[in-house]
Amino acid sequence: MTRSWRLSAASLLLALCAAAPSAAAAQGGPIADRYRTDANRLIQAALRDSAAWNRLATLTDTYGARPSGSQSLERAIDWVLAEMRRDGLQNVRGEPAMVPHWVRGDESAELIAPRATPLHMIGLGGSVGTPAGGITADVLVVGSLEELAALPAGSARGKIVVFDEPFVSYGQTVRYRSAGPQAAGKAGAVAALIRSVSSFSIQNPHTGAMRYAADTTVARVPAAALSVEDAMMLHRMQNRGQRLRMRLSMGAHTLPDAPSRNAVAEIVGSERPDEVVVLGGHIDSWDVGQGAMDDGGGSVAAWEAVRLMKQLGLRPRRTVRVVLWTNEENGTRGGQAYRDAHRAELAKHQVAMESDNGVFKPGGFRFQGSDAALAVVRQIASLLEPIGAGRVEKGEGEADVDPIIALGVPGLALDVDGTRYFWYHHSSGDTMDKLDPHDMALCVATMAVMAYVAADMPDTLPHEVPPADQGH
């Protein structure tokens, strides 16, 4: 523990003591009054050391990247389950899920003209490969899908199309992963390269899942991302009237689906064991970097939150279930498998929580559910105001819990400082050094308080009626 962290922990302890039934209590209401002592215990336990960060470092340094279908993922899950048992958690198990198994293979891109130089590229997950000898073709750079569509027919035929669309937001720009290759294939291109979907770059292209159009008449062309710098350079060259020619080689291929598991452990409820608060992250990652930020950190933070409850002897009325979901990155099969395996008990799920935006400094949560449930969750979150994590706003959940949120379970997504997330997301830069032990401990504390109080409070959070069931 560094001196600066010791000072901040001491300052926090003073803040927690000062937050007795004053203004925060008045805002928090009866739930906050009832659970303030337990919440403060959880926060202090989370912040007293670097246990979560150290456990994550062991996971990522030992097993590395954990793509779906890989031995590294399954070995990591074996280790997680063994550690959960060592922690004394209950009902530790791997719940099966069949997952996609895409393999990158060797890959490279090289500019041939106007000068010879290697380019920084990374294949998009799910892409087909090139022929054995690669593809050598002229390059057409466009600034958007709309620009490609507006070109005269045949402009892209036989060329490698590069989409140089700047990052606006992940939600807006990520469409190029699938829409780009589909549009290029429809226009007669032989391959599609997109400008890396990232908000900052040091020649580190970012991968991610793509899908081809269901229309089999559209050619399925190889698809990859170029670094931001390389995409911009090619665009400048083209704007000067220079002819661009490139060689692209990709050994990507898809193998049959492979068996995997969601890693599950519980603290069984003391009074209502059939009612459940579920929280977690996804244990799989892309095949580059270490998957530390996305999403080893979220997985370990949720796990540590439950371990601390066990360590402190806090056994809530309801069951607290931590799940490290498999295959979020290129299929969400783990989330779907959880929904299917637990469908009969979803009416008794109190809330579903996930962390999948990096374990940076937390500010609170995004919430999906009824206004009545939101009001209750905000009371609980007031207990987190001393650490700056008391905000709860309406917003989207996370991919692994979306399948059960869609069936009416209230959903929470840990909301963190996203300034640097898309600097490293899905790239070789997603490594342990990007994460701060204290920020990760704050994430643990935030999830622990919310999960524990939601699991122990007397009242049940109201569920929304799923759209398919409305009126029935």
Side-chain angles (χ1 to χ4, degrees):
M1 183 184 293
T2 65
R3 180 176 181 273
S4 62
W5 191 351
R6 286 197 297 269
L7 289 173
S8 63
S11 299
L12 172 66
L13 182 57
L14 291 173
L16 291 172
C17 293
S22 58
Q27 181 178 350
I31 292 176
D33 292 343
R34 178 170 188 162
Y35 288 102
R36 195 171 310 281
T37 298
D38 287 341
N40 289 351
R41 289 180 68 206
L42 285 165
I43 292 169
Q44 291 166 26
L47 296 181
R48 70 185 167 208
D49 57 30
S50 303
W53 193 93
N54 288 333
R55 177 166 261 177
L56 176 62
T58 300
L59 168 67
T60 57
D61 292 344
T62 304
Y63 301 101
R66 304 169 301 281
S68 290
S70 69
Q71 290 186 5
S72 60
L73 173 61
E74 298 311 309
R75 287 197 297 265
I77 293 171
D78 287 341
W79 176 81
V80 166
L81 295 173
E83 288 292 296
M84 286 175 162
R85 292 186 182 98
R86 192 171 291 115
D87 289 342
L89 300 181
Q90 298 168 285
N91 298 329
V92 177
R93 62 201 185 267
E95 296 186 349
M98 295 297 291
V99 300
H101 189 187
W102 178 80
V103 178
R104 179 175 305 285
D106 293 332
E107 58 185 18
S108 64
E110 179 186 5
L111 185 63
I112 298 172
R115 67 182 172 94
T117 185
L119 298 172
H120 303 82
M121 62 81 72
I122 188 167
L124 295 179
S127 175
V128 298
T130 62
I135 293 171
T136 301
D138 286 352
V139 176
L140 171 66
V141 185
V142 295
S144 66
L145 291 163
E146 293 74 20
E147 183 179 331
L148 177 62
L151 292 175
S155 297
R157 187 167 295 119
K159 296 180 179 178
I160 296 172
V161 172
V162 174
F163 293 93
D164 181 30
E165 169 76 3
F167 184 92
V168 178
S169 69
Y170 188 69
Q172 281 186 255
T173 315
V174 73
R175 66 184 179 126
Y176 278 84
R177 286 200 194 132
S178 290
Q182 290 175 24
K186 188 174 182 179
V190 293
L193 301 178
I194 69 167
R195 173 169 163 166
S196 182
V197 183
S198 50
S199 58
F200 178 79
S201 178
I202 307 178
Q203 292 286 28
N204 60 320
H206 298 218
T207 189
M210 59 83 61
R211 291 177 179 81
Y212 293 107
D215 183 356
T216 56
T217 64
V218 177
R220 297 189 169 194
V221 301
L226 285 177
S227 71
V228 170
E229 295 90 336
D230 283 349
M232 295 175 72
M233 178 187 71
L234 294 177
H235 211 161
R236 292 194 303 271
M237 288 176 165
Q238 179 177 278
N239 288 343
R240 286 193 290 263
Q242 294 174 300
R243 181 192 178 194
L244 306 178
R245 194 160 178 82
M246 182 189 300
R247 181 180 297 112
L248 177 69
S249 178
M250 294 175 60
H253 57 284
T254 300
L255 297 174
D257 286 357
S260 188
R261 298 153 289 169
N262 293 327
V264 182
E266 297 174 342
I267 295 175
V268 176
S270 60
E271 296 179 13
R272 307 178 194 174
D274 57 335
E275 298 182 17
V276 177
V277 167
V278 63
L279 70 159
H282 67 84
I283 186 63
D284 68 304
S285 73
W286 281 106
D287 56 336
V288 290
Q290 291 183 307
M293 185 189 75
D294 183 20
D295 181 36
S299 295
V300 173
W303 173 11
E304 179 72 359
V306 178
R307 186 189 72 83
L308 288 179
M309 293 179 210
K310 171 72 175 176
Q311 184 182 74
L312 295 174
L314 295 173
R315 185 182 177 192
R317 289 181 171 87
R318 298 173 185 83
T319 294
V320 177
R321 177 181 295 157
V322 59
V323 181
L324 276 55
W325 285 280
T326 192
N327 183 232
E328 186 273 347
E329 293 294 1
N330 63 334
T332 62
R333 300 277 188 86
Q336 295 168 32
Y338 183 88
R339 173 200 61 200
D340 295 343
H342 298 277
R343 189 182 291 268
E345 65 188 68
L346 292 182
K348 292 190 175 183
H349 270 51
Q350 174 86 325
V351 71
M353 183 194 316
E354 184 169 11
S355 169
D356 188 16
N357 287 283
V359 282
F360 300 108
K361 188 177 188 304
F365 295 92
R366 303 190 307 274
F367 177 76
Q368 279 184 275
S370 68
D371 289 343
L374 174 61
V376 175
V377 168
R378 282 178 168 161
Q379 286 191 55
I380 301 172
S382 71
L383 292 164
L384 296 162
E385 288 173 358
I387 59 171
R391 184 182 68 251
V392 182
E393 303 293 343
K394 285 264 192 177
E396 294 184 355
E398 301 293 356
D400 296 298
V401 293
D402 274 350
I404 62 174
I405 292 174
L407 297 179
V409 177
L412 285 165
L414 186 66
D415 197 17
V416 301
D417 178 4
T419 305
R420 292 175 290 135
Y421 184 67
F422 291 108
W423 293 9
Y424 315 118
H425 179 251
H426 295 181
S427 80
S428 58
D430 183 359
T431 50
M432 275 304 302
D433 55 291
K434 308 307 187 301
L435 299 175
D436 176 75
H438 183 57
D439 285 349
M440 186 171 180
L442 289 170
C443 291
V444 172
T446 302
M447 298 183 81
V449 169
M450 180 59 69
Y452 173 72
V453 178
D456 193 68
M457 56 186 281
D459 296 332
T460 300
L461 287 175
H463 285 209
E464 287 194 317
V465 179
D469 295 339
Q470 289 177 358
H472 296 281

